[in-house]
């Protein structure tokens, strides 16, 4: 709408200016006009007349008089015809001039080149009197070619020929340099005979050297004359066009009167008033400038916004006292959209479009809108949006893990550089270890982030004791945020470290916000926001944002602190439940590695259990889950395995009892509705006998063991995979392996070979590759496996046990078959004595003879055959009596009057340990005595 208004105003500006002046003079008349508008108008004549009853002839006369639209059209047509005639004459003159110039150029160049290349011209130039030879030739050629002159000259421009003999010997008027360089050229000059076109052509010798010059010229008036012949025809056509225009006006006047309803000056004035009212009522400034940059129209809003003078209309835009940029834009007429200019204390959004679109007059119309308040509101909205975006990003980016230090680093990173140039986080040491901090100002710099790394702030890791005057100490004491707008004028902060604070100020850091990291009543540290790039200090609005940002991060830091405390407790509990030192035994050379998960303590465990007969049991298990419950459950299972192993059970029987135990624990947990069932625990139990090099293995849902042969080859023996513990109902099976001395038995948990990014089959192949190789100690194998398979951040516990097998030599084993005859007891005692003497254990002969006599006698009396006695010299002296009976002996305390019942009592008193284990063929009663 504004564009249309501007275009129509630009078309009718001269008359509108007159109407505006008349409106000021004739205000009473306009009042009369308003009253007249309330009376009915005369009906419109169907034939288009509206002249008070004077008929169509009066309307036609009015049209031709120029006061109506028809008259204006007539005048316009006459002007157009005249303009066309003038344009045609001008075009004709320009065309004739162009043709004359072109003709003069072509003719002069042709004549000059012809004369220069004519026979004898070059020789005449070298004659003693060139003028005598060339002057007649030049004049004859000039008359024949109809040019005004032919001039021959030497290379210095001295004429040899000229139509006027008195000019011979004088310097040539014109440019010679291109011809002296060997090029022909033409030029337009005003010479001695008037405006002309002349050509200069070089005369060259055989070797191409310029030896002279020839110039021919012709005046432009001598090639004209076309305009004189065409001008009468053009004037005749103009007269005919003018006559047609007059006739056409008479024909269209009725139509124009009918289409305009016979509007006269009064009606046009009323239309102007309406137009003017609309123009000045809009809340946008409207300015219309001519193509020359003069202000044609400015409404009231434009006067107010630009503070224009009263006589602004009609003056050039650059003379209105506007600033250079705004005045230049309005005078240029270039197209802009919402270009913002500062005018005084206002921000004006300017839109400008040309008015000559679709045939309009040259000029431009500009609209001005005061966007000062809008820009301020928009700026505040943008700042608020950025703050909300920062808080959202903080909610997403802070607390991605459960590590206190990493959470503090995330807080520092999210605030730089969007809120502060540097951010430091200082926390109490107790928070880093998961504990609640005590009151005090001793903190440790935990995180730093900045736009540069060379800021002279305390480095990460340094312990800082803030003095009481510092804003950090005040913030910790009050639990409130503190803003220091100017660090240079903050004596309390400067007193912290005079040398360092001076460096900070010199570096350019000038403003600081300190916000306590607080959850409830607990203050864990402070966050420092430093500013250096923006010259403005932090304000109260930014202080509120910093408090909100730290408040959100404080929850994540406290969660990480609590997790750290629970994780530390779980790790402590877990390590207390795992074996601290491996028991002494001679069957296996054992090395192990245990790594708790970084994400949370799990339930992986292992154990090494010495058994009777120099045997050793190795067990590894895994409780699915993490946390204190998994660690506690792992401790219960390990204790249960200790107890069950004391019964000298076979591996499959032990796993069966363990399966029942886990099932009962699950039932108890389900009854309490705790939701902490441990179904999913796995276990592998292996028993190695160094006397036979046999290893009996059973597993409950656990990965199979690996065996490394002495030659370095690796295999995963087939061990039946039983169900995980706690499922119940399915039996467990054992596998018996014969291991060469020096073999490596490898047990592990699934955290070593399986994770989210690696399938267990891939992990087993990697484990096979890491285990391959001969002549490596168990410790070296453990380290090599971890180097090859350990992930950067283990998501599960990892337990790894490598056991190198040893064999008990035949020279340290003694066996005797005993017949079921009491008389054989004496022979056994004698054989035992001889063997002990051979081993150098004479000090143990008496007690050993007494114990074996009692045990063999009981086997003969109460057991069944076959009966066998075996002695092993290991870390202790082991005596074993085998028989085919399943009856278990019981220790009795005989009364003083009893004749028997003291045999096992004596055995218990004389041995360090004793017990019974069952075999598929019967039972074994064994004793152990320490070696002297």
């Amino acid at each position: 709408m504004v564009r249309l208004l501007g275009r129509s105003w630009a078309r009718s500006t001269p008359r509108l200016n007159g109407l505006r002046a008349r409106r000021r003079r004739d205000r009473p008349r306009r009042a009369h006009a308003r009253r007249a508008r309330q009376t009915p108008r005369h009906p419109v004549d169907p034939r288009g007349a509206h002249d008070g009853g004077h008929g169509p002839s009066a309307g036609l006369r009015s049209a031709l008089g120029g006061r109506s639209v028809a008259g204006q059209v007539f005048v316009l047509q006459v002007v157009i015809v005249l303009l066309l005639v003038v344009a045609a004459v001008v075009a004709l003159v320009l065309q004739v001039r162009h043709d004359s110039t072109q003709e003069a150029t072509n003719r002069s160049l042709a004549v000059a080149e012809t004369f220069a290349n004519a026979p004898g011209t070059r020789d005449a130039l070298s004659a003693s009197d060139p003028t005598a030879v060339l002057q007649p030739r030049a004049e004859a050629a000039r008359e024949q070619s109809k040019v005004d002159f032919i001039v021959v000259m030497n290379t210095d421009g001295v004429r040899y020929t000229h139509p006027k003999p008195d000019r011979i010997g004088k310097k040539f008027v014109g440019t010679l340099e291109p011809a002296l360089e060997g090029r022909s050229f033409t030029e337009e000059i005003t010479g001695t005979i008037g405006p002309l076109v002349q050509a200069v052509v070089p005369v060259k010798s055989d070797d191409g050297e310029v030896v002279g010059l020839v110039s021919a010229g012709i005046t432009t008036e001598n090639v004209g004359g076309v305009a004189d012949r065409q001008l009468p025809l053009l004037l005749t056509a103009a007269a005919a066009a003018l006559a047609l225009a007059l006739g056409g006006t008479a024909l269209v006047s009725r139509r124009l009167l009918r289409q305009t309803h016979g509007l006269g000056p009064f009606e046009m004035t009323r239309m102007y008033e309406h137009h003017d009212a609309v123009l000045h009522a809009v809340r946008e400034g409207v300015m219309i400038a001519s193509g020359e940059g003069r202000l044609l129209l400015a409404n009231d809003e434009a006067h107010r916004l630009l503070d224009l003078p009263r006589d602004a209309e009609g003056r050039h835009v650059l003379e209105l006292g506007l600033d250079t940029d705004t005045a230049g834009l309005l005078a240029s007429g270039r197209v802009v959209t919402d270009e913002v200019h500062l005018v005084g204390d206002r921000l004006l959004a300017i839109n400008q479009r040309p008015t000559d679109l679709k045939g309009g007059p040259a000029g431009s119309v500009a609209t001005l809108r005061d966007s000062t308040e809008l820009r301020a509101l928009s700026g505040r909205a943008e700042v608020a949006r950025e703050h909300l975006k920062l808080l959202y990003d903080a909610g997403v980016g802070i607390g991605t893990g459960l590590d206190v230090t990493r959470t503090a680093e995330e807080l520092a990173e999210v605030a730089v550089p969007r809120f502060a140039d540097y951010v430091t986080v200082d926390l109490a040491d107790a928070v880093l270890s998961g504990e609640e901090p005590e009151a005090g100002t001793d903190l440790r710099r935990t995180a730093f982030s900045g736009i540069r790394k060379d800021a002279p702030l305390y480095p990460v890791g340094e312990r800082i004791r803030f003095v009481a005057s510092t804003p950090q100490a005040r913030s910790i004491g009050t639990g409130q945020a503190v803003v220091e707008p100017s660090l240079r004028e903050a004596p309390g902060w400067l007193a912290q470290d005079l040398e360092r604070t001076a460096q900070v100020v010199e570096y350019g850091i000038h403003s600081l916000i300190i916000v306590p990291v607080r959850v409830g009543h607990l203050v864990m540290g402070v966050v420092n926001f430093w500013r250096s790039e923006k010259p403005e200090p932090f304000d109260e609005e930014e202080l509120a944002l910093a408090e909100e940002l730290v408040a959100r991060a404080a929850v994540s830091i406290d969660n990480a602190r609590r997790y750290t405390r629970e994780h530390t407790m779980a790790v402590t509990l877990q390590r207390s439940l795992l074996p601290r030192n491996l028991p002494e035994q001679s069957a296996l050379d054992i090395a192990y590695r245990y790594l708790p998960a970084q994400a949370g303590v799990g339930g992986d465990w292992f154990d090494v259990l010495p058994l009777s007969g120099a045997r050793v049991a190795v067990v590894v298990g895994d409780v699915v889950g993490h946390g204190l419950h998994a660690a506690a459950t792992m401790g219960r299972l390990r204790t249960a395995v200790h107890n069950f192993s004391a019964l000298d059970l076979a591996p499959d029987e032990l796993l069966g009892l363990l399966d029942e135990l886990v099932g009962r624990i699950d039932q108890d947990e389900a009854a309490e509705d705790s939701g902490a069932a441990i179904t999913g625990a796995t276990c592998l139990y292996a028993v190695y006998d160094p006397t036979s090099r046999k290893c009996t293995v059973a597993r409950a849902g656990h990965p199979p063991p690996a065996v490394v042969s002495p030659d370095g080859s690796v295999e995963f023996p087939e061990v039946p995979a039983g169900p995980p513990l706690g499922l119940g109902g399915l039996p467990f099976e054992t596998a018996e392996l014969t291991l060469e001395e020096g073999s490596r038995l490898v047990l592990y948990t699934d955290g070593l070979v399986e994770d989210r990014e690696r399938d267990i089959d891939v992990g087993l192949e990697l484990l096979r590759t890491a285990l391959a190789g001969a002549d490596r100690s168990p410790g070296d194998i453990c380290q090599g496996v971890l180097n090859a398979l350990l992930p950067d951040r283990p998501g599960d516990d990892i337990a790894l046990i490598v056991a190198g097998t040893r064999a008990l030599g035949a020279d340290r084993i003694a066996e005797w078959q005993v017949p079921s005859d009491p008389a054989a007891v004496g022979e056994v005692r004698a054989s035992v004595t001889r063997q002990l003497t051979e081993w150098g254990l004479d000090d143990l002969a008496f007690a050993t003879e007494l114990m074996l006599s009692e045990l063999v006698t009981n086997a003969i009396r109460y057991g069944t055959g076959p009966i066998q006695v075996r002695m092993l010299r290991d870390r202790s002296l082991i005596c074993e009596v085998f028989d085919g009976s399943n009856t278990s002996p019981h220790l009795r305390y005989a009364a003083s009057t009893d004749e028997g019942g003291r045999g096992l009592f004596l055995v218990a008193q004389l041995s360090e340990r004793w017990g019974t284990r069952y075999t598929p063929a019967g039972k074994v009663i064994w004793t152990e005595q320490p070696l002297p």
Side-chain angles (χ1 to χ4, degrees):
M1 170 183 170
V2 173
R3 183 183 301 170
L4 294 175
L5 287 172
R7 187 177 299 159
S8 63
W9 273 89
R11 292 195 185 102
S12 57
T13 297
R15 184 168 185 185
L16 291 180
N17 287 336
L19 290 175
R20 184 183 293 111
R22 191 170 65 186
R23 184 186 61 173
R24 298 191 186 101
R25 294 194 304 267
D26 300 335
R27 293 185 184 274
R29 180 180 177 184
R30 285 190 294 169
H32 174 72
R34 284 193 294 270
R35 289 192 298 270
R37 284 196 297 268
Q38 299 174 3
T39 62
R41 296 183 55 190
H42 296 287
V44 178
D45 192 332
R47 294 169 296 177
H50 184 69
D51 52 6
H54 296 284
S57 59
L60 182 59
R61 288 194 299 271
S62 176
L64 297 178
R67 295 185 179 181
S68 66
V69 176
Q72 294 177 1
V73 171
F74 171 75
V75 175
L76 179 61
Q77 288 183 353
V78 172
V79 171
I80 291 174
V81 171
L82 292 177
L83 289 177
L84 290 175
V85 172
V86 173
V89 172
V90 172
L92 177 61
V93 172
L94 292 177
Q95 182 64 37
V96 170
R97 181 179 180 183
H98 175 267
D99 293 342
S100 300
T101 302
Q102 188 65 35
E103 175 65 20
T105 299
N106 295 338
R107 187 185 301 180
S108 62
L109 181 60
V111 171
E113 289 181 343
T114 301
F115 194 89
N117 296 319
T121 302
R122 182 174 56 187
D123 296 336
L125 289 172
S126 60
S128 59
D129 188 4
T131 301
V133 178
L134 296 175
Q135 176 68 8
R137 296 181 183 179
E139 287 302 307
R142 179 178 66 80
E143 293 176 357
Q144 293 178 1
S145 60
K146 304 300 183 181
V147 297
D148 291 318
F149 67 87
I150 295 177
V151 176
V152 182
M153 69 199 87
N154 62 10
T155 56
D156 294 328
V158 177
R159 300 187 184 98
Y160 290 148
T161 67
H162 196 277
K164 298 179 180 181
D166 59 334
R167 303 296 175 91
I168 297 174
K170 296 182 180 180
K171 291 285 289 186
F172 177 75
V173 179
T175 304
L176 301 179
E177 286 76 7
L180 294 175
E181 295 175 359
R183 292 185 289 108
S184 300
F185 76 100
T186 61
E187 62 179 343
E188 295 183 29
I189 64 171
T190 302
T192 56
I193 58 176
L196 54 86
V197 177
Q198 67 181 11
V200 181
V201 177
V203 180
K204 300 181 181 178
S205 64
D206 293 337
D207 56 359
E209 181 182 0
V210 178
V211 297
L213 305 173
V214 176
S215 175
I218 185 172
T219 58
T220 55
E221 64 181 7
N222 291 336
V223 294
V226 178
D228 297 336
R229 296 190 299 270
Q230 294 181 350
L231 188 58
L233 178 62
L234 180 63
L235 294 177
T236 302
L242 185 59
L244 291 175
L246 292 174
T249 300
L251 293 176
V252 301
S253 60
R254 292 179 180 274
R255 182 180 298 273
L256 290 176
L257 287 172
R258 185 165 54 249
Q259 291 178 349
T260 59
H261 299 286
L263 292 177
F266 172 75
E267 287 81 2
M268 294 298 296
T269 301
R270 185 176 63 178
M271 290 182 63
Y272 163 75
E273 290 178 347
H274 292 171
H275 189 272
D276 192 53
V278 173
L279 182 65
H280 291 281
V282 296
R283 296 301 299 169
E284 287 188 354
V286 178
M287 297 181 63
I288 300 176
S290 66
E292 295 80 15
R294 294 192 176 277
L295 182 63
L296 302 178
L297 174 67
N299 68 350
D300 294 342
E301 186 69 8
H303 276 270
R304 184 183 70 85
L305 295 177
L306 298 178
D307 194 19
L308 298 176
R310 292 182 177 274
D311 59 346
E313 295 179 357
R315 296 171 59 182
H316 200 280
V317 173
L318 299 178
E319 301 174 356
L320 300 179
L322 302 176
D323 63 277
T324 305
D325 292 340
T326 305
L329 170 62
L330 297 176
S332 67
R334 61 185 175 90
V335 177
V336 297
T337 300
D338 287 337
E339 184 174 305
V340 178
H341 286 253
L342 179 62
V343 179
D345 58 349
R346 293 186 177 94
L347 286 174
L348 300 184
I350 301 177
N351 292 272
Q352 185 165 266
R353 297 291 184 273
T355 59
D356 57 357
L357 298 176
K358 298 181 180 180
S364 61
V365 56
T367 62
L368 306 95
R369 184 175 66 255
D370 189 355
S371 62
T372 305
E373 183 177 355
L374 179 62
R375 177 59 60 91
L377 292 176
S378 177
R380 288 196 293 270
E382 181 66 19
V383 171
R385 190 189 68 81
E386 289 295 331
H387 289 177
L388 290 176
K389 183 65 167 55
L390 175 62
L391 294 177
Y392 172 79
D393 292 343
V396 174
I398 300 176
T400 58
L402 291 173
D403 182 80
V404 174
T405 301
R406 182 54 193 156
T407 304
E409 292 173 350
E410 291 171 345
L411 168 60
E413 291 168 358
V414 79
V416 174
R418 298 163 62 181
F419 178 70
D421 299 317
Y422 302 92
V423 175
T424 55
V425 182
D426 305 325
L427 300 176
D429 286 334
V431 175
L432 299 177
S433 60
E435 303 298 329
E436 292 188 0
E438 298 180 356
T441 59
D442 290 357
L443 304 177
R444 187 174 299 278
R445 180 131 299 172
T446 307
F448 166 84
S449 181
I451 57 177
R452 294 191 297 272
K453 302 298 182 183
D454 58 345
L457 302 171
Y458 287 115
V460 174
E462 183 165 342
R463 186 180 180 85
I464 308 171
R465 173 171 292 180
F466 292 104
V467 299
S469 64
T470 60
Q472 287 88 348
R474 298 201 310 272
S475 179
I476 294 173
T478 62
Q480 302 296 322
V482 178
V483 59
E484 286 288 354
S486 177
L487 294 179
R488 191 181 299 273
E489 301 173 0
W493 175 78
L494 293 171
Q496 170 67 29
D497 185 341
L498 296 179
E499 180 179 359
R500 184 177 293 274
T501 53
Q503 293 175 354
V504 171
V505 173
E506 183 67 23
Y507 186 77
I509 298 177
H510 59 83
S511 187
L512 169 65
I513 289 179
I514 303 98
V515 182
V517 183
R518 185 182 65 180
V519 176
H521 68 282
L522 184 65
V523 178
M524 296 176 287
V526 294
V527 180
N528 308 282
F529 300 92
W530 312 82
R531 173 171 288 178
S532 63
E533 294 297 315
K534 293 178 62 176
E536 301 83 6
F538 286 113
D539 54 25
E540 293 299 325
E541 184 177 351
E542 291 170 320
L543 176 63
L545 175 61
E547 290 180 314
E548 179 66 21
L549 183 63
V550 175
R552 297 190 179 197
V555 177
S556 298
I557 293 176
D558 188 55
N559 289 339
R561 178 190 67 83
R562 293 173 182 270
Y563 173 80
T564 301
R565 180 183 61 186
E566 293 183 1
H567 184 269
T568 303
M569 294 172 58
V571 170
T572 302
L573 173 63
Q574 184 185 45
R575 293 194 179 278
S576 68
L577 296 176
L578 291 172
R580 300 183 180 180
N581 296 301
L582 296 181
E584 295 182 356
Q585 45 82 31
S586 302
L588 298 173
D589 180 15
I590 294 180
Y592 69 92
R593 297 289 188 275
Y594 186 86
L595 300 175
Q598 294 187 8
V601 175
D604 291 12
W605 56 282
F606 69 95
D607 217 336
V608 179
L609 307 171
L611 302 178
S612 63
R615 296 172 303 129
V616 176
V618 181
V619 60
V620 62
D622 182 7
V623 176
V624 176
H626 296 84
L628 288 174
H629 178 74
T633 302
M634 175 269 290
R636 297 169 73 178
L637 295 182
R638 179 170 177 257
T639 301
V641 172
H642 267 268
N643 294 333
F644 294 150
S645 66
L647 300 177
D648 261 333
L649 300 175
D652 55 337
E653 296 178 4
L654 185 142
L655 290 181
L657 294 176
L658 202 61
D659 180 60
E660 294 179 5
L661 173 64
V662 172
R664 289 196 299 270
I665 294 175
D666 280 346
Q667 291 176 1
D668 295 341
E669 297 289 353
E672 296 178 3
D673 195 22
S674 64
I678 61 171
T679 300
T682 65
C683 183
L684 186 148
Y685 189 81
V687 177
Y688 175 71
D689 189 347
T691 63
S692 61
R693 293 183 288 107
K694 300 290 185 181
C695 182
T696 306
V697 184
R699 62 187 179 116
H702 203 82
V707 177
V708 185
S709 301
D711 60 1
S713 61
V714 181
E715 65 174 342
F716 294 93
E718 291 292 336
V719 179
L725 300 175
L727 295 182
L730 296 176
F732 298 96
E733 300 180 30
T734 61
E736 189 173 87
L737 312 176
T738 300
L739 304 179
E740 299 180 39
E741 185 175 7
S743 299
R744 304 289 188 257
L745 179 65
V746 181
L747 309 181
Y748 52 91
T749 56
D750 59 354
L752 180 67
V753 295
E754 185 179 18
D755 58 27
R756 295 178 179 177
E757 300 179 356
R758 183 173 60 200
D759 189 71
I760 189 171
D761 293 334
V762 178
L764 290 176
E765 287 302 318
L766 293 175
L767 177 62
R768 182 194 298 274
T769 303
L771 291 174
D775 300 329
R776 291 197 298 168
S777 66
D780 293 339
I781 293 177
C782 283
Q783 192 59 46
V785 169
L786 292 183
N787 291 340
L789 277 78
L790 185 65
D792 295 334
R793 292 182 60 84
D796 195 3
D797 293 358
I798 295 176
L800 174 65
I801 302 97
V802 178
T805 60
R806 298 169 180 164
L808 195 63
D811 58 336
R812 305 177 71 177
I813 302 175
E815 294 181 308
W816 299 277
Q817 297 293 330
V818 180
S820 297
D821 184 358
V825 176
E827 297 179 4
V828 172
R829 286 200 300 268
S831 300
V832 168
T833 301
R834 288 193 298 272
Q835 186 63 50
L836 291 177
T837 300
E838 183 179 343
W839 285 345
L841 299 177
D842 294 332
D843 294 342
L844 300 178
F846 175 75
T848 304
E849 289 180 5
L850 183 58
M851 289 188 294
L852 286 178
S853 296
E854 182 62 31
L855 295 177
V856 171
T857 300
N858 286 341
I860 294 173
R861 179 177 299 176
Y862 303 110
T864 60
I867 300 173
Q868 181 182 0
V869 174
R870 185 173 72 167
M871 283 199 312
L872 307 176
R873 183 168 67 87
D874 192 27
R875 291 180 176 271
S876 61
L877 180 62
I878 302 172
C879 299
E880 298 177 332
V881 177
F882 298 80
D883 68 73
S885 172
N886 289 325
T887 58
S888 177
H890 297 283
L891 181 63
R892 295 173 56 192
Y893 297 93
S896 58
T897 57
D898 293 340
E899 295 183 1
R902 298 179 177 84
L904 289 181
F905 179 76
L906 291 175
V907 170
Q909 294 298 315
L910 294 174
S911 65
E912 184 178 42
R913 292 195 311 154
W914 75 282
T916 304
R917 72 173 182 270
Y918 295 91
T919 66
K923 68 176 182 297
V924 179
I925 301 177
W926 55 269
T927 65
E928 290 186 6
Q929 303 172 73
L931 297 178

